[in-house]
């Protein structure tokens, strides 16, 4: 039988699956549900120093091929999520490490939160979200390559815990090359490809209207729409980054087949967003069963046998 066991950092997780930050992780109830589901771990909603209400509603809309959102980082505040992951760690010190996401509104806010993580008892994995497309007036940090390098430079002057970054999608080889050369200068443990594709527009023909309120309807796309872009980014960074920097694959994972494709491109862990929102936490049972079926049909007993081994023509 096929095993989905996945080693990431110093821990072997039961499978590669977890939520994508933002989905099903805004409060302790949702986080507990994830923790008790068939996902192998979870990541918290990206936090800011203080609690935020986020953008006006409606701000998330499911469509047949995916989702569009402009949430605007509604969250309970940094301390709420940090307390949650530290309490959990104290309850189960040998348990699977959790992921903790931060998304400050400025370089200083990010540095301040990461200093607090560094000084805390948290010993899981921290994700720095440099790609939120939804805060009016705030560009996506990782599209500004000078700023990307500057932030990471400042972070690694003091941060010694495991750190990954959440990237936006890139669409040009010049950008893959430049981003990778910057990321390769730092002791990152992973990059997460990709955040939603920023600033799409979904239209309701009947109403001749946009479907979400913030930013006159512009928002980040997720789901089936974005899988080819997600796979391209996973592959581009897998083939450009130092092997010590793992890839988390996020974007359009709806079936075991989608998961298999992300793994072939080189992803280590896999995150599910849009489909988790649609189906709830039972999505993990289904996708894991489907991935195992594919592996068994192909005669694979472990993910390592095919990870990254995408063929070209
Ligand atoms: O699509 C996204 N929505 N990506 C983020 O990084 C943040 C989130 C939000 O809260 O708007």
């Amino acid at each position: 039988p096929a095993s989905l066991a996945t080693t990431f950092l110093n821990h072997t997780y039961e499978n590669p699956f977890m939520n994508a930050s933002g989905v099903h992780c805004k409060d302790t109830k949702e986080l507990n549900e994830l923790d008790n589901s068939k996902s192998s771990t979870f990541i918290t909603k990206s936090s800011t120093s203080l609690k935020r209400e986020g953008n006006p509603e409606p701000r998330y809309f499911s469509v047949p091929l995916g989702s569009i959102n402009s949430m605007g980082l509604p969250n309970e505040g940094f301390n709420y999520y940090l307390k949650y992951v530290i309490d959990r760690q104290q309850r189960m010190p040998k348990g699977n490490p959790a992921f903790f996401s931060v998304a400050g509104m400025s370089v200083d806010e990010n540095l301040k939160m990461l200093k607090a993580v560094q000084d805390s008892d948290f010993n899981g994995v921290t994700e720095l979200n440099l790609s939120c497309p939804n805060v009016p007036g705030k560009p996506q940090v990782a599209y500004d390559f000078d700023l990307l390098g500057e932030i990471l430079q400042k972070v690694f002057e003091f941060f010694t815990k495991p750190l990954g970054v959440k990237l936006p999608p890139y669409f040009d080889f010049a950008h893959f090359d430049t981003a990778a050369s910057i990321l390769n200068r730092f002791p990152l443990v992973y990059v997460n490809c990709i955040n939603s594709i920023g600033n799409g527009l979904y239209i309701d023909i009947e109403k001749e209207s946009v479907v979400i309120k913030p930013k006159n309807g512009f928002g980040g796309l997720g789901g089936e729409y974005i899988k080819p872009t997600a796979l391209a980014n996973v592959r581009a960074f897998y083939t450009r980054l130092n092997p010590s920097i793992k890839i988390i694959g996020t974007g359009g994972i709806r079936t075991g087949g989608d998961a298999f494709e992300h793994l072939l491109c080189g992803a280590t862990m896999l995150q599910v967003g849009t489909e988790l929102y649609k189906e709830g936490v039972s999505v993990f049972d289904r996708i894991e069963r489907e991935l195992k079926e594919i592996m068994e049909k192909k005669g694979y007993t472990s993910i390592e046998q095919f990870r990254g081994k995408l063929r070209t023509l």
Side-chain angles (χ1 to χ4, degrees), residues 45-46 55 69-74 129 131-134 195-196 220:
K45 170 70 185 171
S46 291
N55 294 338
N69 90 84
S70 183
M71 305 298 289
L73 292 171
N129 178 357
S131 49
C132 174
N134 297 332
N195 206 319
S196 57

Side-chain angles (χ1 to χ4, degrees), residues 54-124:
N55 294 338
E57 294 181 341
R59 56 192 184 182
Y60 186 105
F61 196 83
S62 275
V63 296
L65 293 180
S67 61
I68 184 166
N69 90 84
S70 183
M71 305 298 289
L73 292 171
N75 76 90
E76 295 298 320
F78 174 84
N79 287 329
Y80 177 95
Y81 302 101
L82 189 63
K83 178 175 185 313
Y84 180 83
V85 288
I86 292 176
D87 284 351
R88 173 183 179 275
Q89 194 179 284
Q90 281 162 354
R91 268 198 325 276
M92 30 189 273
K94 293 221 160 66
N96 48 344
F99 289 62
F100 178 72
S101 172
V102 299
M105 296 285 145
S106 65
V107 177
D108 281 350
E109 187 181 358
N110 280 322
L111 293 174
K112 193 178 135 224
M113 288 191 286
L114 291 175
K115 284 201 178 96
V117 173
Q118 177 70 28
D119 294 340
S120 76
D121 290 329
F122 180 56
N123 60 19

Side-chain angles (χ1 to χ4, degrees), residues 3 23 31 37 99 154 204 215 247 252 268 272 275 285-286:
S3 161
V23 181
L31 287 163
S37 78
F99 289 62
K154 288 182 174 158
D204 179 332
K215 294 172 67 179
I247 316 286
T268 298
V272 184
E275 197 61 24
D285 304 61
R286 178 180 61 74

